[in-house]
Amino acid sequence: MYTPSWRIIGRGVYWLSIPDVNTRLFENMWPIPSGVNYNSYLVADDDEYLLIDSSKNVYNVEEILRLLNQVSGLNRIKHIAVLHSEPDHSGLIGEISKRIGNPALYSTLRASSFMKSMFNVETGIVKDGDTIRVGGRKLRVIELPWIHWPDTMFLYLEDEGILFSSDAFGAFGALEKPVFDDECDFEQYMLSAKEYFATVVAAYRQMVMRALDKIGKLGLNLRMIAPSHGIVLRSRIPEFIKELTSWCTLKSRKKVTIIYGSMYGLTEQLAKYACEVVKNMVDEVAVHNAVVSSVNNVLTDVVDSAGVIFITPTYEGNVFPPLSSIVELLRIKKIGSGKLAAVTVTKLWGGTAANQLSSKLGEAGFEVSHVCEYVNYPGGRDLTEYENILHGFLEKLNSMVSKLL
Ligand code: FEO
């Protein structure tokens, strides 16, 4: 049963787990068939409570208030911290705040301006290094802008060593109940975390690296990481940080992703042919039909691929639009950085799809090393030439990966 629930995760620290299995598209664009979790937290000292974040308004506010009542009683919540203002965490802050009697609200300067613009909610401003006090307990403010909004802060609960990390260290997937990293299939969980990274966070990967560096230099006695999505980390923190670092640096494996489009199945044959050629020369091949694959899975596979082969028919003189929209996401997120690309275009009568695609891939950070154009589906001698071109691409890719090892 996916219902809001709570769990104690430290002395006077409560995790409010708010699962969402109704939203089909995260940010109204990323398919999340397994849903997503919104985590908020309560930190208490005797009768004084701080609420950290709320959730998207997928639940009636009465249901969330009932949850808060079970844990603390509404009148004991004296403070609310908004770690960043994106509505999946701040959507209910205004209503909750009114209903519990206008507690003190805290956020960064930018979040304060966004909360005012979006919800007409006023928040007091805290800065990097400030302390939020709950009774005798202290939470250190760590400003880490651009993860993945410009207004983000983390909070560090000094006496328990818990870092409340907003959208960093998160994952997709609704939770039936709040669980720690040592109570779930962690390898499976990391697939959701990687997908969440590739879609929501990847564009700001340098900021995440900077955040990891800053957290490391603060020398925190880090016992737990409590993110705004996904599970709470306590036993696998080093593994998570290692994986996150490899995603942030777009660390490439001997892996090729083939992304193709096809209107009548002819260009698809070329993708299948390319797959047969490639699979014997690398460790892994991922193949995605741009029309049917989840865009989440496409981006996730590109993150750790050393090379990507794009195969498209020409549509009214242009790149096949379903493939074009994937390339646009790669361009926005610059996920091609440090990776090789090969472009294969089929056409019957003309168009500039090859040039358009190469140019966009360059903007996405790829080095476009091989470009082939064919009149419809190639056969015979053309296919032998195509195989040779793919071999050239793979030799360059393998030599590039060897230098990285
Ligand atoms: Fe999960 Fe940026 O909100």
Side-chain angles (χ1 to χ4, degrees):
M1 274 285 283
Y2 291 97
T3 52
S5 60
W6 60 276
R7 176 175 182 173
I8 296 176
I9 59 169
R11 181 182 66 84
V13 185
Y14 305 83
W15 171 7
L16 311 181
S17 165
I18 302 163
D20 176 4
V21 288
N22 294 319
T23 298
R24 304 321 299 163
L25 297 171
F26 189 77
E27 294 179 337
N28 211 17
M29 63 187 292
W30 309 111
I32 44 168
S34 303
V36 66
N37 227 65
Y38 312 114
N39 300 329
S40 57
Y41 301 93
L42 280 163
V43 177
D45 194 23
D46 291 330
D47 266 2
E48 189 175 336
Y49 285 73
L50 161 77
L51 172 65
I52 299 173
D53 285 335
S54 65
S55 81
K56 190 178 162 188
N57 56 1
V58 282
Y59 286 94
N60 185 304
V61 72
E62 300 302 333
E63 197 150 353
I64 304 304
L65 290 169
R66 216 168 12 249
L67 187 67
L68 290 170
N69 245 329
Q70 283 171 19
V71 181
S72 62
L74 297 183
N75 60 356
R76 293 179 178 160
I77 301 175
K78 305 295 183 197
H79 324 261
I80 299 180
V82 178
L83 298 189
H84 80 306
S85 62
E86 192 167 11
D88 56 335
H89 308 289
S90 68
L92 293 178
I93 293 280
E95 188 60 26
I96 290 174
S97 173
K98 256 188 244 157
R99 296 289 292 277
I100 65 180
N102 297 314
L105 268 64
Y106 311 104
S107 75
T108 62
L109 175 63
R110 292 193 89 169
S112 179
S113 135
F114 298 159
M115 288 296 288
K116 179 81 183 152
S117 300
M118 287 190 288
F119 304 114
N120 198 25
V121 167
E122 306 268 0
T123 64
I125 293 160
V126 287
K127 298 188 300 298
D128 193 51
D130 284 355
T131 298
I132 296 175
R133 287 175 192 274
V134 184
R137 308 186 77 174
K138 293 181 191 166
L139 292 108
R140 191 189 309 183
V141 172
I142 306 170
E143 277 197 74
L144 290 162
W146 294 109
I147 300 175
H148 58 135
W149 273 35
D151 56 347
T152 306
M153 66 176 182
F154 291 6
L155 289 180
Y156 177 65
L157 179 61
E158 310 258 356
D159 56 45
E160 281 284 310
I162 301 177
L163 185 67
F164 299 97
S165 65
S166 190
D167 274 349
F169 302 96
F172 287 137
L175 302 175
E176 286 193 69
K177 58 180 185 180
V179 292
F180 285 105
D181 51 4
D182 45 28
E183 299 171 335
C184 71
D185 180 341
F186 189 68
E187 278 64 42
Q188 194 63 32
Y189 177 74
M190 289 307 284
L191 298 177
S192 306
K194 187 178 173 195
E195 182 184 333
Y196 172 80
F197 171 85
T199 50
V200 179
V201 182
Y204 301 102
R205 55 192 179 271
Q206 283 171 354
M207 299 302 182
V208 177
M209 288 299 290
R210 216 174 281 176
L212 290 174
D213 187 52
K214 181 169 178 176
I215 297 294
K217 285 182 177 149
L218 286 174
L220 309 178
N221 177 26
L222 195 55
R223 291 182 48 249
M224 218 176 269
I225 296 179
S228 301
H229 300 290
I231 60 174
V232 172
L233 303 165
R234 66 177 175 189
S235 302
R236 314 291 290 265
I237 292 173
E239 288 109 303
F240 197 109
I241 290 177
K242 188 173 171 208
E243 284 292 294
L244 181 59
T245 304
S246 83
W247 304 334
C248 285
T249 53
L250 298 178
K251 190 169 175 197
S252 296
R253 301 193 288 117
K254 225 170 167 184
K255 169 177 172 182
V256 167
T257 295
I258 298 173
I259 309 171
Y260 73 94
S262 189
M263 285 186 277
Y264 295 101
L266 292 172
T267 309
E268 185 172 42
Q269 291 178 46
L270 208 45
K272 287 180 179 162
Y273 185 82
C275 180
E276 287 304 309
V277 173
V278 169
K279 73 180 186 192
N280 297 320
M281 293 182 69
V282 293
D283 296 337
E284 187 181 341
V285 187
V287 182
H288 291 289
N289 178 334
V291 177
V292 297
S293 276
S294 158
V295 67
N296 297 16
N297 295 339
V298 179
L299 265 56
T300 305
D301 271 322
V302 172
V303 163
D304 62 358
S305 288
V308 184
I309 300 174
F310 295 87
I311 304 176
T312 180
T314 299
Y315 179 82
E316 298 182 356
N318 294 275
V319 178
F320 187 50
L323 190 126
S324 200
S325 71
I326 289 173
V327 172
E328 177 61 7
L329 286 170
L330 295 172
R331 187 191 70 77
I332 289 170
K333 295 173 184 299
K334 302 271 185 297
I335 297 183
S337 180
K339 302 178 186 300
L340 280 187
V343 165
T344 307
V345 170
T346 57
K347 60 183 182 182
L348 263 185
W349 63 85
T352 57
N355 283 345
Q356 290 175 39
L357 186 50
S358 301
S359 161
K360 278 275 169 147
L361 292 174
E363 290 176 35
F366 288 98
E367 178 190 341
V368 182
S369 61
H370 294 75
V371 179
C372 328
E373 272 192 296
Y374 295 105
V375 174
N376 210 353
Y377 175 70
R381 203 170 137 189
D382 277 350
L383 272 182
T384 308
E385 276 171 21
Y386 187 50
E387 185 171 343
N388 288 338
I389 289 167
L390 291 173
H391 280 160
F393 174 73
L394 294 167
E395 275 162 23
K396 187 170 168 78
L397 178 142
N398 283 336
S399 131
M400 190 181 85
V401 176
S402 308
K403 283 184 199 147
L404 296 174
L405 295 175

Short mmCIF file of all heavy atoms in Angstrom, two decimals, residues 26 87 124 142 156 171 205 274 277 280 290 292 324 338 358-359 396:
data_model
loop_
_atom_site.label_atom_id
_atom_site.label_comp_id
_atom_site.label_asym_id
_atom_site.label_seq_id
_atom_site.Cartn_x
_atom_site.Cartn_y
_atom_site.Cartn_z
N PHE A 26 7.38 12.83 -14.20
CA PHE A 26 8.07 13.72 -13.26
C PHE A 26 8.45 14.99 -14.02
O PHE A 26 8.96 14.92 -15.15
CB PHE A 26 9.32 13.02 -12.72
CG PHE A 26 9.98 13.74 -11.59
CD1 PHE A 26 9.45 13.67 -10.31
CD2 PHE A 26 11.12 14.48 -11.79
CE1 PHE A 26 10.05 14.33 -9.26
CE2 PHE A 26 11.74 15.15 -10.74
CZ PHE A 26 11.20 15.07 -9.47
N PRO A 87 8.20 22.98 -6.61
CA PRO A 87 6.90 22.65 -6.00
C PRO A 87 6.72 21.19 -5.60
O PRO A 87 5.79 20.89 -4.85
CB PRO A 87 5.90 23.05 -7.10
CG PRO A 87 6.59 24.14 -7.84
CD PRO A 87 8.04 23.73 -7.87
N GLY A 124 12.00 33.61 5.90
CA GLY A 124 13.18 34.29 6.42
C GLY A 124 14.42 33.74 5.72
O GLY A 124 14.43 32.58 5.29
N ILE A 142 24.10 24.71 4.81
CA ILE A 142 25.16 24.58 3.79
C ILE A 142 24.53 24.95 2.45
O ILE A 142 23.74 24.19 1.89
CB ILE A 142 25.71 23.14 3.76
CG1 ILE A 142 26.16 22.70 5.15
CG2 ILE A 142 26.85 23.03 2.75
CD1 ILE A 142 26.50 21.21 5.26
N TYR A 156 22.58 20.28 8.05
CA TYR A 156 23.34 19.23 8.73
C TYR A 156 23.02 19.27 10.21
O TYR A 156 23.27 20.27 10.89
CB TYR A 156 24.85 19.42 8.49
CG TYR A 156 25.70 18.41 9.22
CD1 TYR A 156 25.63 17.07 8.89
CD2 TYR A 156 26.55 18.82 10.25
CE1 TYR A 156 26.40 16.13 9.57
CE2 TYR A 156 27.34 17.89 10.92
CZ TYR A 156 27.24 16.55 10.57
OH TYR A 156 28.01 15.63 11.25
N ALA A 171 16.52 9.42 -5.83
CA ALA A 171 16.20 8.38 -6.83
C ALA A 171 14.71 8.44 -7.12
O ALA A 171 13.93 8.98 -6.33
CB ALA A 171 16.56 7.00 -6.31
N ARG A 205 25.97 18.54 -13.18
CA ARG A 205 26.89 17.56 -12.57
C ARG A 205 28.15 18.23 -12.01
O ARG A 205 28.70 17.76 -11.01
CB ARG A 205 27.25 16.46 -13.58
CG ARG A 205 27.82 16.95 -14.88
CD ARG A 205 27.87 15.83 -15.91
NE ARG A 205 28.39 16.29 -17.18
CZ ARG A 205 27.64 16.81 -18.15
NH1 ARG A 205 26.33 16.91 -18.00
NH2 ARG A 205 28.19 17.22 -19.28
N ALA A 274 23.95 -2.77 -37.31
CA ALA A 274 24.99 -2.10 -36.52
C ALA A 274 25.17 -2.82 -35.19
O ALA A 274 26.31 -3.02 -34.73
CB ALA A 274 24.61 -0.64 -36.30
N VAL A 277 27.28 -5.89 -35.55
CA VAL A 277 28.70 -5.57 -35.74
C VAL A 277 29.34 -5.15 -34.42
O VAL A 277 30.43 -5.60 -34.06
CB VAL A 277 28.86 -4.43 -36.78
CG1 VAL A 277 30.32 -3.97 -36.87
CG2 VAL A 277 28.34 -4.87 -38.14
N ASN A 280 30.24 -7.58 -30.74
CA ASN A 280 31.43 -8.41 -30.53
C ASN A 280 32.68 -7.60 -30.19
O ASN A 280 33.72 -8.16 -29.89
CB ASN A 280 31.72 -9.23 -31.79
CG ASN A 280 30.58 -10.19 -32.06
OD1 ASN A 280 30.03 -10.77 -31.12
ND2 ASN A 280 30.20 -10.32 -33.32
N ALA A 290 13.88 5.25 -30.77
CA ALA A 290 13.53 6.57 -30.24
C ALA A 290 12.03 6.75 -30.05
O ALA A 290 11.60 7.58 -29.25
CB ALA A 290 14.07 7.66 -31.16
N VAL A 292 9.79 4.27 -29.09
CA VAL A 292 9.16 3.47 -28.03
C VAL A 292 9.96 3.41 -26.72
O VAL A 292 9.39 3.13 -25.67
CB VAL A 292 8.86 2.02 -28.50
CG1 VAL A 292 7.87 2.02 -29.65
CG2 VAL A 292 10.11 1.28 -28.89
N SER A 324 15.18 13.46 -32.97
CA SER A 324 15.62 14.84 -32.79
C SER A 324 15.34 15.33 -31.37
O SER A 324 16.14 16.05 -30.78
CB SER A 324 14.84 15.69 -33.80
OG SER A 324 15.49 16.85 -34.02
N GLY A 338 33.00 14.34 -23.92
CA GLY A 338 34.02 13.30 -23.81
C GLY A 338 33.63 11.99 -24.49
O GLY A 338 34.32 10.98 -24.33
N SER A 358 24.78 16.16 -36.97
CA SER A 358 26.18 16.31 -36.54
C SER A 358 26.37 17.60 -35.77
O SER A 358 27.07 17.65 -34.74
CB SER A 358 27.11 16.31 -37.76
OG SER A 358 26.95 15.12 -38.47
N SER A 359 25.74 18.64 -36.27
CA SER A 359 25.91 19.93 -35.63
C SER A 359 25.31 19.93 -34.21
O SER A 359 25.94 20.39 -33.25
CB SER A 359 25.26 20.97 -36.54
OG SER A 359 25.00 22.11 -35.85
N LYS A 396 38.50 3.48 -32.73
CA LYS A 396 38.78 4.79 -32.11
C LYS A 396 38.22 4.82 -30.68
O LYS A 396 38.87 5.30 -29.75
CB LYS A 396 38.12 5.89 -32.96
CG LYS A 396 38.46 7.31 -32.53
CD LYS A 396 37.96 8.30 -33.57
CE LYS A 396 38.02 9.73 -33.07
NZ LYS A 396 39.30 10.36 -33.09
#
